[in-house]
Amino acid sequence: MSGDLAVDVRAVSKVFRDDKGRDVQALREVSFQVRRSQIVALTGRSGCGKTTLLRIIMGLEHPTSGTVDVDGEPVHGPGVNRGIVFQNAELLPWRTALGNVEFGLEARRLPKAQRRETAERAIELVGLKDAAHRRPHELSGGMRQRVGIARALAIDPAVLLMDEPFSALDAQTREKMQAELLEIHERTGKTIIFVSHDIDESVLLADRVVTLVPDPGRVHGVLDTAFGASTSLEERRGSAQFAQRRHELLQLVHGREIQQQDGVSV
Amino acid sequence: MTALADQAAPVEDETTLSRKIRSQRRGGRDRLVTTAGVVVLLIIWEIAARQVDPILAAPPSAVFTALIGMVGDGSLPTAVWESAQPFLVGYVLAIVVGVPVGLLIGRFRLVEAAIGWLVIAGYAMPMIALTPVFMLWFGLGFAVKAAMVMTMTVFAISINTWNGVQNVPRTLIEVGTAFCTSQPRILSQIVIPSVIPSIMTGLRIGIGKAVVGIVIAEFFTAIGGVGGVIVDAGHSFQPDRMFAAVVVLMLAAVALTSLVGLIERWLAPWNRSIAGGAR
Ligand SMILES: Nc1ncnc2c1ncn2[C@@H]1O[C@H](COP(=O)(O)OP(=O)(O)OP(=O)(O)O)[C@@H](O)[C@H]1O
Ligand SMILES: [Mg+2]
């Protein structure tokens, strides 16, 4: 076993049965690997199976065929070594922001005071200290998403899975959260897999970008985009590397468009 | 809510305040409409009742006088107390049995297969048909009244709870699964809170059912209670007394139902803000 691998997705296919009993192939033979402490972005247009893939890695969905290993162990269900940020936050409506973050911690047998303290730190980290005691319906969409991020961060998982974590945020908050993510990553060395529709974001944050194409969802290309460690967002944004990789990724995505047009018989 | 509001907290507090004022104003309007509805009904009743034989019907003025008299001589308070005791016992028993049964049927397919049909059948069953049997089993006193109330109410509560469990968002249960929450905690922290509104609906419907239950029991056993007063007044051609007792029943049902509503607002304050409804 290569001890360096955090996540190993091997030939994963997923077929859903829709409401009318027809089979929908969401993923076909998807393979990619994530090394420990790597940040990987999953991109691709709507419906190409990004969420499905993330849920399979989380263990919330079982692949029709293929396997996923996390830290060398095959995934059979959710585990405390993985944390997930859902695409729609999915907070418990009857709990406050802080209470929702605490919920994630309740499966661990921590003393109550310590649990509260950990949750408060996570809430502070996402900039919601003043809103800690509001319920989800009293929060904006972006604030809810941040609570979701805090809930996943609080349990301190080795692998952090995030489904479009920043897409509901305004530009300012988003930038702050992106910087925060890099900071957390540097401090903790977590493995992070996130879904993003944003080319710039993918290139800026990720060490490696996996692009998927739909019908059925499969890997189209993998681009290594690693910046050196501890380069700030501004440094990255201003660098020639960024422009270069952004261009490469656009070409990869663009190439997909051309390929697809080829496939259409007009 | 916009990103702007999320940075400027004072602005949000102001909107909360104005929302509160607006909802109070709306509450005032609703109360006015309710009062107007009651007044119109009373006027129509008064006019209509004056047209017919006083043995057949009593106008509100006469009913009101009878009511005062019955309170004065203590007969009504005694009757209400006699009905209230078995009512409460039966109703509480129905909650204690109905809610857990509903939760179990909703959560476990095996339990649903075993007793789901029974609950549906019980809900549809006309209670009157069972009254003679109940009298054989429970005699003619307190027990039969409580049993009738309980049987009338328990199925409504179970069915609503069951239905609520089936409508718990799958995505929220998944949150529990993803964070490795144990089954008992998923039940107590996710399923039950999301079922509370449905349980309260069952309790609200249950009040009406329980009132019917106590009256049926008192009609048949003809011993005491508000139902007994209605039967006696009917037999002795005193429509004013009869209507007075009916009005008391109606008022009690309305008051108890609002009480359940208050409890719901206290138990599940988030629900009013996330659920749609009359504006
Ligand atoms: N439970 C399900 N039952 C049937 N089909 C499903 C189910 N979940 C997903 N699908 C299908 O699988 C495909 C991939 O869905 P998925 O949610 O993974 O896409 P996505 O890449 O996350 O899209 P988006 O960017 O819009 O979030 C879609 O065609 C979708 O219709
Ligand atoms: Mg998705």
Side-chain angles (χ1 to χ4, degrees):
Chain A
M1 293 264 164
S2 42
D4 195 28
L5 276 188
V7 179
D8 189 3
V9 177
R10 271 177 316 213
V12 161
S13 300
K14 178 72 187 179
V15 178
F16 285 111
R17 174 80 31 99
D18 72 6
D19 295 341
K20 296 193 184 83
R22 284 179 309 222
D23 285 349
V24 179
Q25 181 140 36
L27 295 170
R28 186 164 76 196
E29 302 273 324
V30 172
S31 299
F32 68 95
Q33 301 182 323
V34 183
R35 269 185 280 116
R36 198 155 288 153
S37 292
Q38 226 179 10
I39 305 184
V40 168
L42 295 175
T43 65
R45 58 167 62 176
S46 187
C48 67
K50 305 181 293 295
T51 297
T52 307
L53 189 52
L54 220 54
R55 288 168 55 85
I56 288 175
I57 299 173
M58 186 65 224
L60 287 173
E61 207 91 66
H62 295 287
T64 312
S65 64
T67 57
V68 176
D69 285 4
V70 172
D71 282 337
E73 299 279 327
V75 167
H76 294 299
V80 283
N81 59 349
R82 282 152 289 150
I84 189 164
V85 178
F86 291 97
Q87 192 165 354
N88 305 315
E90 308 296 357
L91 305 179
L92 307 180
W94 45 88
R95 286 198 177 212
T96 62
L98 188 64
N100 267 285
V101 176
E102 278 190 83
F103 178 81
L105 290 162
E106 280 164 16
R108 335 238 141 154
R109 309 203 174 282
L110 291 173
K112 210 172 165 189
Q114 196 183 335
R115 192 171 73 204
R116 170 59 61 107
E117 198 185 313
T118 311
E120 273 168 353
R121 233 179 302 126
I123 279 282
E124 225 166 289
L125 194 66
V126 297
L128 286 177
K129 203 174 169 204
D130 295 335
H133 298 287
R134 293 200 214 155
R135 292 216 172 88
H137 68 88
E138 299 166 314
L139 301 173
S140 71
M143 290 161 103
R144 271 179 235 151
Q145 194 61 14
R146 279 185 277 160
V147 176
I149 295 171
R151 179 173 62 187
L153 282 176
I155 63 167
D156 195 24
V159 179
L160 184 58
L161 307 167
M162 305 200 286
D163 201 348
E164 302 191 27
F166 307 135
S167 58
L169 307 182
D170 63 284
Q172 248 178 310
T173 316
R174 174 197 292 235
E175 216 158 291
K176 198 177 132 249
M177 296 295 304
Q178 290 172 341
E180 202 61 67
L181 186 73
L182 283 184
E183 215 260 305
I184 290 167
H185 176 252
E186 199 164 311
R187 213 175 49 229
T188 62
K190 280 185 200 317
T191 309
I192 300 174
I193 304 178
F194 72 99
V195 171
S196 177
H197 279 295
D198 189 331
I199 300 266
D200 286 13
E201 180 173 276
S202 307
V203 176
L204 274 177
L205 298 180
D207 301 318
R208 150 177 281 199
V209 181
V210 177
T211 55
L212 299 173
V213 283
D215 298 317
R218 59 206 184 273
V219 175
H220 173 59
V222 177
L223 195 68
D224 278 310
T225 52
F227 288 88
S230 55
T231 34
S232 74
L233 271 181
E234 278 97 284
E235 283 168 340
R236 290 185 180 196
R237 211 186 299 273
S239 69
Q241 261 176 321
F242 172 63
Q244 171 66 23
R245 277 156 194 173
R246 190 173 175 278
H247 178 71
E248 282 170 12
L249 183 57
L250 273 170
Q251 275 208 319
L252 188 64
V253 173
H254 195 61
R256 176 191 81 196
E257 306 280 12
I258 292 166
Q259 271 194 351
Q260 281 214 331
Q261 275 167 13
D262 287 346
V264 176
S265 49
V266 183
Chain B
M1 264 178 268
T2 61
L4 211 86
D6 113 33
Q7 275 156 8
V11 173
E12 198 141 277
D13 287 341
E14 241 170 65
T15 56
T16 317
L17 187 71
S18 70
R19 209 182 304 145
K20 204 174 279 170
I21 292 172
R22 205 174 334 122
S23 82
Q24 266 166 11
R25 239 180 248 153
R26 205 181 291 153
R29 185 200 67 185
D30 290 354
R31 237 164 286 149
L32 206 69
V33 171
T34 308
T35 314
V38 171
V39 169
V40 169
L41 190 74
L42 285 178
I43 292 175
I44 294 175
W45 180 7
E46 183 81 37
I47 294 172
R50 281 169 189 271
Q51 314 300 316
V52 299
D53 192 329
I55 284 181
L56 299 178
S61 50
V63 171
F64 189 70
T65 317
L67 197 61
I68 300 283
M70 290 157 80
V71 173
D73 66 13
S75 61
L76 190 62
T78 313
V80 168
W81 182 235
E82 274 174 1
S83 296
Q85 289 167 295
F87 181 93
L88 271 181
V89 170
Y91 188 71
V92 169
L93 273 178
I95 298 174
V96 169
V97 175
V99 171
V101 166
L103 287 175
L104 289 175
I105 298 178
R107 194 85 184 107
F108 302 104
R109 197 167 293 175
L110 203 70
V111 184
E112 178 177 346
I115 57 171
W117 62 273
L118 197 65
V119 171
I120 294 171
Y123 183 69
M125 178 175 55
M127 254 315 124
I128 287 203
L130 280 187
T131 316
V133 188
F134 268 57
M135 282 159 64
L136 278 178
W137 289 346
F138 297 101
L140 287 174
F142 184 94
V144 74
K145 293 189 194 178
M148 289 286 286
V149 170
M150 142 104 190
T151 322
M152 270 306 273
T153 317
V154 69
F155 298 109
I157 292 176
S158 272
I159 283 194
N160 276 284
T161 307
W162 174 5
N163 193 29
V165 177
Q166 286 180 324
N167 289 327
V168 176
R170 217 172 57 102
T171 55
L172 287 190
I173 305 229
E174 239 167 33
V175 170
T177 317
F179 284 91
C180 303
T181 313
S182 64
Q183 276 299 319
R185 278 196 76 77
I186 288 183
L187 190 68
S188 70
Q189 300 300 309
I190 298 179
V191 176
I192 291 181
S194 32
V195 175
I196 284 179
S198 304
I199 294 178
M200 297 314 284
T201 303
L203 296 199
R204 224 176 301 134
I205 295 172
I207 293 279
K209 292 261 178 189
V211 168
V212 174
I214 192 84
V215 171
I216 291 179
E218 290 175 343
F219 267 34
F220 275 83
T221 62
I223 31 166
V226 182
V229 171
I230 296 177
V231 175
D232 289 346
H235 287 170
S236 54
F237 300 103
Q238 291 176 295
D240 50 349
R241 283 176 70 85
M242 195 179 88
F243 277 112
V246 170
V247 165
V248 165
L249 279 179
M250 285 164 66
L251 288 178
V254 171
L256 288 171
T257 307
S258 340
L259 185 69
V260 173
L262 279 179
I263 295 173
E264 172 173 15
R265 223 167 295 162
W266 172 69
L267 272 180
W270 67 87
N271 191 49
R272 252 157 60 94
S273 325
I274 57 177
R279 287 282 175 265

